[in-house]
Amino acid sequence: MKKVILTIIVLFMFQSVYGQRVRGDYFNRPQAGIWFGPAAPLFETAEEVDSALSGGAYAKVSTFYRPVKIGLDLSYQHHKSASLTSVKMVPVYSSLQYRLPIKTPINFVLKAGGGVTRIWMEPDMVSQWDPTFMGGFEISFPLGKWINVGLRTDYLMLYEKHLEGADINGHFFNVGLSLFFNL
Amino acid sequence: MRFLLIAVLLFCFSCDGDPIFSNLDQSDIIIVFKASYASNDPRSWWDGASPSANSFIDDSAVNSVPENLPDKVLIDIGEVRANNDRFSIERFYRNADMTDDNELFSGKGITVPTSDLFPDKNYDTIKVFFRKLIYNQASYYNHSWEYIDDNEEKFGNSDLPGYDSIHRLKYEQADYDEDEDEVNNIVYPFVIDLPIPFEYKVGTKTIIEIRINFKNSLKYYEYGDSDNEYYYGYYSLADSFVNVVEGDFYIGGNIQAGVNIYETEKTLIVKGSAPAGRYVVAIHEDDDISNYIGTTLIPPLATWCDDGSYKLNNIESGKRYKFYYSSTTPPVNGVNIDGFSGEKIVEFEESDINTEVELNL
């Protein structure tokens, strides 16, 4: 009985260290997953096209600095409007993702990055690549050794002001439920 | 690190292009809405005369006599589609004076913004979704046809005198979209067939001129509601094409309309002489003038020749047109033309753009 009580005391004493190590191990493994949720245009963009459901896939790998990972995202969203105007987008971007140092099983991650978005505008059928900047926040927690679920929010700015005749950029805010796996 | 390199490489691919987001609210297409038979220089209201108050009483109206002719027409249009593509969703409405100077009746027209249409797609109909068509000088009566009061209708968040006859006019024109819900079907699509299918070219400034003739087309009708509690005396479009008899619920089949589509940078003016007191019209060579005789279809281009000389605007270069004048002087009320004469076929070259070409008919 003494051994049992001693073991419990030891476990309680070192639980944070143990937990940190396990979470750290999972977080720092390569991860891949999918997400799905609403995407809303912002500012001037919201005056022309409507919100839509969007979804995508992503992968993350560790860096030499343990709290930071590099992620690659690819998603699809199609914003229609009451008229014929619509915008289809496939953002492809990379981001640096920093896990906040909060001692809890839940991971809080800030992310920022950039890439490009393939964009198609209807009805004119114009398509091109737009430079894209993003920032976001992600909450996730592990469901066992392999699976994580999370909630992610991403702000995307499709930069067009460098183009001749452009006076605005495209702005979107995506929210998604994500499911990803530790590989 | 490889992800970052990929992103940087993709970024470099994206340094030129079109300002898509700046162009989302831009369009190369504009609708110009007119309420006259003519596309320019329309015939004057009642040929410049002032008709008496009982000039336009339909033979179906036997219980009441109007005291005044209307001097206002209230038009409310919800949206316009090409085939079923909703390219104009900006509702527009006007409380218009029935005068020659009003932009609806002067040949100038109301400009309505649109989105572009799909390129490489053939459009063969324009659908105008009416919400209301109201003439003032309407009254309502009890079941013994004793006058109660002037009738009022909601229009632009105000109660204005008049009677909305748009639901009477839906006869034959009604074309409910089954995929729309009930609320959207409150508006009534009026379908105008294009004589020549239209194909939009991206980047081409294009005018879609829609003409629905409310000018010089007027009749006084009566109507009792379903439980006969109240009766109404009101003005609406003249029954020049489908006769309205006593007891008719619908006075439909009498909306005259036409569409002219042209590129703004390719137009010219044709002018010359023609018999006075006639309409001069032009249609595309592939079109048939019989489509416009005794029907509610208005030729794409039309003008009123008052004194023996005419001018027809917005002819497009690079096309062959057939020109005519109406065989007789049409009645001043109800533009039902019984024939066209003096056909001339002319092709206009690019060198004619922005010029005035002489053509005597």
Side-chain angles (χ1 to χ4, degrees):
Chain A
M1 188 61 186
K2 281 184 182 175
K3 284 182 181 175
V4 172
I5 292 170
L6 189 64
T7 304
I8 290 171
I9 291 169
V10 168
L11 279 175
F12 265 102
M13 282 175 68
F14 294 99
Q15 67 152 350
S16 60
V17 175
Y18 178 76
Q20 178 71 26
R21 183 174 63 79
V22 171
R23 274 202 312 277
D25 285 345
Y26 289 165
F27 181 79
N28 286 303
R29 289 166 73 166
Q31 294 170 317
I34 55 172
W35 67 272
F36 177 78
L42 300 176
F43 313 127
E44 304 95 332
T45 314
E47 294 170 13
E48 303 303 330
V49 292
D50 299 332
S51 299
L53 283 174
S54 59
Y58 60 96
K60 306 175 184 187
V61 292
S62 301
T63 65
F64 56 87
Y65 181 52
R66 292 177 70 86
V68 173
K69 299 187 82 165
I70 294 177
L72 182 69
D73 272 70
L74 184 146
S75 58
Y76 173 79
Q77 50 204 75
H78 183 188
H79 298 273
K80 297 180 179 178
S81 71
S83 71
L84 300 183
T85 304
S86 76
V87 171
K88 288 178 189 168
M89 294 162 38
V90 177
V92 184
Y93 56 82
S94 185
S95 60
L96 288 174
Q97 307 193 354
Y98 174 67
R99 184 181 61 167
L100 297 176
I102 300 172
K103 287 185 179 177
T104 161
I106 301 173
N107 290 318
F108 297 92
V109 176
L110 290 173
K111 50 190 181 177
V116 289
T117 298
R118 185 66 178 174
I119 180 168
W120 293 264
M121 185 185 81
E122 290 185 340
D124 286 345
M125 305 298 189
V126 175
S127 63
Q128 65 191 33
W129 292 97
D130 273 354
T132 302
F133 301 99
M134 66 79 59
F137 181 66
E138 193 172 309
I139 301 171
S140 66
F141 62 90
L143 291 179
K145 187 176 178 183
W146 301 104
I147 300 172
N148 303 272
V149 293
L151 177 73
R152 47 179 280 161
T153 60
D154 297 302
Y155 162 73
L156 301 180
M157 185 186 80
L158 279 65
Y159 182 62
E160 285 197 344
K161 277 193 174 176
H162 67 293
L163 298 172
E164 189 179 342
D167 50 11
I168 59 170
N169 297 315
H171 303 276
F172 295 88
F173 185 70
N174 298 351
V175 179
L177 291 172
S178 62
L179 174 70
F180 58 102
F181 303 94
N182 304 318
L183 305 178
Chain B
M1 189 56 69
R2 271 175 288 182
F3 290 158
L4 280 175
L5 283 173
I6 290 167
V8 169
L9 282 173
L10 288 172
F11 198 94
C12 293
F13 281 128
S14 54
C15 291
D16 56 6
D18 294 314
I20 285 179
F21 292 100
S22 302
N23 289 342
L24 282 178
D25 63 347
Q26 306 292 316
S27 174
D28 292 320
I29 301 174
I30 292 173
I31 287 176
V32 175
F33 182 83
K34 300 178 181 177
S36 55
Y37 183 91
S39 48
N40 63 275
D41 299 312
R43 190 178 188 178
S44 302
W45 273 102
W46 317 128
D47 267 351
S50 297
S52 61
N54 58 1
S55 297
F56 305 126
I57 300 176
D58 189 71
D59 52 12
S60 66
V62 295
N63 299 294
S64 60
V65 176
E67 291 188 0
N68 297 295
L69 283 177
D71 54 9
K72 294 267 193 185
V73 58
L74 291 67
I75 299 167
D76 186 351
I77 292 175
E79 67 181 59
V80 180
R81 300 183 187 182
N83 292 3
N84 274 323
D85 290 344
R86 305 170 73 179
F87 76 117
S88 175
I89 56 167
E90 185 156 319
R91 179 182 169 191
F92 62 99
Y93 52 93
R94 289 290 186 282
N95 182 354
D97 292 327
M98 291 168 61
T99 62
D100 291 319
D101 296 333
N102 188 283
E103 59 188 354
L104 277 172
F105 306 113
S106 67
K108 180 185 174 194
I110 298 170
T111 300
V112 184
T114 70
S115 71
D116 287 337
L117 287 166
F118 290 102
D120 305 322
K121 179 175 177 179
N122 273 329
Y123 291 97
D124 52 19
T125 58
I126 295 291
K127 294 180 178 177
V128 180
F129 282 67
F130 277 103
R131 297 177 64 89
K132 289 183 178 174
L133 172 63
I134 300 169
Y135 288 90
N136 67 351
Q137 303 298 344
S139 303
Y140 69 102
Y141 303 82
N142 66 13
H143 63 280
S144 304
W145 280 101
E146 292 166 342
Y147 172 82
I148 298 175
D149 205 349
D150 289 349
N151 197 59
E152 291 188 336
E153 297 279 4
K154 271 268 187 254
F155 187 82
N157 294 323
S158 301
D159 289 322
L160 296 179
Y163 183 86
D164 181 13
S165 63
I166 196 65
H167 52 297
R168 302 277 183 282
L169 288 159
K170 70 178 183 175
Y171 171 85
E172 287 189 344
Q173 280 78 20
D175 182 17
Y176 275 45
D177 288 342
E178 291 177 2
D179 58 345
E180 295 283 6
D181 60 31
E182 202 169 303
V183 172
N184 285 333
N185 270 329
I186 289 173
V187 294
Y188 296 90
F190 175 66
V191 181
I192 309 168
D193 292 323
L194 299 180
I196 307 291
F198 166 62
E199 192 176 294
Y200 166 64
K201 287 175 262 177
V202 173
T204 306
K205 299 289 182 193
T206 305
I207 299 285
I208 298 180
E209 178 184 293
I210 300 172
R211 304 203 306 280
I212 299 181
N213 185 28
F214 299 114
K215 193 171 189 181
N216 294 324
S217 179
L218 198 67
K219 273 287 181 74
Y220 179 82
Y221 303 99
E222 291 173 343
Y223 167 68
D225 67 6
S226 56
D227 58 5
N228 284 344
E229 189 176 354
Y230 295 111
Y231 291 99
Y232 300 88
Y234 64 96
Y235 284 95
S236 189
L237 296 175
D239 59 343
S240 310
F241 300 93
V242 178
N243 186 35
V244 173
V245 298
E246 187 178 358
D248 271 357
F249 178 79
Y250 295 117
I251 58 172
N254 288 300
I255 302 180
Q256 271 186 300
V259 175
N260 183 32
I261 301 176
Y262 58 93
E263 297 176 23
T264 54
E265 293 168 356
K266 293 175 72 175
T267 60
L268 58 112
I269 294 170
V270 173
K271 65 177 186 177
S273 61
R278 310 290 177 87
Y279 276 105
V280 173
V281 304
I283 61 174
H284 297 106
E285 188 191 27
D286 297 335
D287 200 359
D288 188 342
I289 194 64
S290 64
N291 293 333
Y292 307 97
I293 300 171
T295 70
T296 54
L297 202 56
I298 297 176
L301 291 145
T303 188
W304 177 246
C305 179
D306 195 41
D307 58 1
S309 62
Y310 76 92
K311 190 172 77 170
L312 208 45
N313 298 341
N314 300 322
I315 305 276
E316 205 173 36
S317 71
K319 290 182 178 173
R320 287 171 69 85
Y321 285 91
K322 294 191 279 195
F323 290 80
Y324 303 87
Y325 55 84
S326 56
S327 304
T328 57
T329 299
V332 70
N333 188 39
V335 189
N336 187 351
I337 293 177
D338 56 8
F340 289 97
S341 308
E343 178 183 272
K344 286 200 174 173
I345 302 175
V346 183
E347 181 169 0
F348 300 97
E349 309 294 336
E350 281 195 16
S351 57
D352 295 323
I353 293 173
N354 292 328
T355 65
E356 294 188 352
V357 178
E358 187 94 8
L359 179 66
N360 297 321
L361 299 173

